[in-house]
Amino acid sequence: MATRHLIGLLLATEEDWPSAFESVLGRLGPVRHGGETHEFAAARILNEPFDLRSSPRYTLVIDRLSWWYDLPREWLKKIALLDDVYLLNNPFTFQAMEKHAAYCAMMRLGLGVPETWLLPHKLPPDNPRYVPMAERYNPVFDLEQIGDWIGYPLYMKPFDGGMWVGVTRVTGPEGLHAAYEESGERMMHLQASIEDFDVFTRSLSIGPQTRVMRYDPGAHGHYRYQVEQGFLTPELEREVGLISRLVNAFFRWEFNSCEVIVKDGRAHPIDYANASPDIALVSLHYYFPWAIKSLVAWCAFCAVTGRSMRLNQRTREYFEVGDGDLGYGEKLTRYAELSDAYFQVPEFEEFCSTALTHLDELTVEYVESAEFDELVVRAIRLEVEPDRHEEMIDRCRTLTRRWAEDERAS
């Protein structure tokens, strides 16, 4: 008798990747591992009142909602603490370790995070105790002096933000004052800009699987990911990919993206706390099938092997490396060992090579199918303004078919 695993999808408004995930998971069929048969199904989760002692149906949940909606966030904490349901991203660290804490941690580990300052709120919090406290303990500070210390240009951005909301490029004191005035009640970072860089990258990591992509932050949102190979040396590509996996292993995140700027052979991570990374078809296009295949593989591995939820970070073993006297390259080697151990890389690779031997082929067949083409049309019409429908449908068709052709040729 087969063991059944139900994978829950906790969603916002997206329709593209959930449909593709459900289709590939359905095509996967039963898999054999350890002498046993395992079957999978997916279900979309409703946000309802819940009994704290109720038993959930799910083996694993993919969360795309709790970063902004409190009810599912608290439900995820409940099923992690009470029911041992596996979550790809630890909800406790994602709530506590926003951009600010993530910068601090990676600075201690020795990564090349640009110079970063935290500013007090421009407008005070709505708390009657704030004003008398501030009169005693919040000295007047010289904003322009901080700007001079960091150097222009620089970026002002929310300490806990995402999706580029509230991010301002500042080129001088006048712009710095204007951006601070506009920040209102949001607490902001000032961060040095890496100018005249060689490559801007965004890496998508799903479990131990990482795809490093060239990224153009100044392009239209649907054109930022560049389909290009060899834009980094093999050594730098390994380093950038490792940084993404290191961040995730440290914080116990398994579905996250990381932005790293490369200049003069040095990697500078600038954004790597993304609770809901971009996995949209219209954005990823060529890379979308890889993301879906990787998500299916990691979910299947976690469910079948009974991988347990890591609630504790075990930061000490990382800080011992970061605080030590090793050189940067030696630290990266040690971080690779720690992250590989966290992600159970040998076990995952063995699982893929024995239980998921058909996943690559069936994903290619799905991308070449009429079902996938219908998804492309439906997703574009839902997400893109009408006057760009045909352009974007043609682009996504062309690039995903190109991925399938490349896979068959490899």
Side-chain angles (χ1 to χ4, degrees), residues 51-251:
D51 177 354
L52 271 62
R53 289 190 172 87
S54 62
S55 297
R57 301 179 296 146
Y58 309 101
T59 302
L60 179 150
V61 170
I62 303 172
D63 169 33
R64 300 283 294 177
L65 180 61
S66 71
W67 63 282
W68 64 269
Y69 189 14
D70 291 342
L71 176 67
R73 178 186 297 169
E74 299 312 309
W75 179 73
L76 288 172
K77 292 177 184 176
K78 166 262 190 297
I79 65 174
L81 289 170
L82 278 172
D83 308 300
D84 288 328
V85 175
Y86 198 82
L87 310 176
L88 295 196
N89 288 334
N90 186 321
F92 302 95
T93 60
F94 250 133
Q95 184 170 0
M97 299 294 183
E98 60 329 66
K99 308 285 187 185
H100 175 75
Y103 285 144
C104 295
M106 292 303 110
M107 286 177 178
R108 183 168 180 179
L109 296 191
L111 300 189
V113 179
E115 183 75 9
T116 307
W117 284 62
L118 183 67
L119 301 179
H121 304 86
K122 174 57 183 175
L123 297 180
D126 185 15
N127 187 319
R129 296 183 178 183
Y130 179 84
V131 173
M133 180 281 297
E135 289 174 346
R136 291 187 183 187
Y137 301 116
N138 283 23
V140 175
F141 68 95
D142 190 333
L143 181 63
E144 289 189 24
Q145 187 176 57
I146 295 174
D148 290 339
W149 282 335
I150 296 173
Y152 296 99
L154 54 82
Y155 284 90
M156 181 178 288
K157 51 187 180 180
F159 84 108
D160 61 348
M163 299 173 63
W164 295 73
V165 175
V167 177
T168 304
R169 179 179 168 87
V170 177
T171 58
E174 183 176 347
L176 179 59
H177 282 288
Y180 190 47
E181 288 291 330
E182 292 175 3
S183 67
E185 296 181 358
R186 301 196 73 172
M187 197 156 60
M188 307 296 279
H189 277 138
L190 292 183
Q191 187 170 82
S193 173
I194 306 298
E195 293 293 294
D196 301 318
F197 56 80
D198 300 317
V199 181
F200 193 117
T201 73
R202 179 178 275 186
S203 303
L204 178 61
S205 286
I206 301 171
Q209 307 156 109
T210 298
R211 177 58 61 96
V212 179
M213 298 165 282
R214 188 162 198 159
Y215 191 74
D216 181 359
H220 184 284
H222 299 153
Y223 288 86
R224 290 175 179 165
Y225 292 95
Q226 310 295 303
V227 182
E228 184 177 343
Q229 307 296 325
F231 56 89
L232 292 174
T233 64
E235 294 77 18
L236 274 170
E237 185 170 4
R238 283 193 295 270
E239 179 182 347
V240 172
L242 171 58
I243 288 172
S244 184
R245 290 189 296 277
L246 167 61
V247 168
N248 291 356
F250 181 89
F251 290 114

Side-chain angles (χ1 to χ4, degrees), residues 302-319:
C302 294
V304 168
T305 62
R307 180 174 162 88
S308 60
M309 186 73 197
R310 272 67 164 178
L311 298 179
N312 299 318
Q313 285 185 257
R314 298 177 64 179
T315 57
R316 179 53 49 192
E317 58 189 7
Y318 292 88
F319 288 153

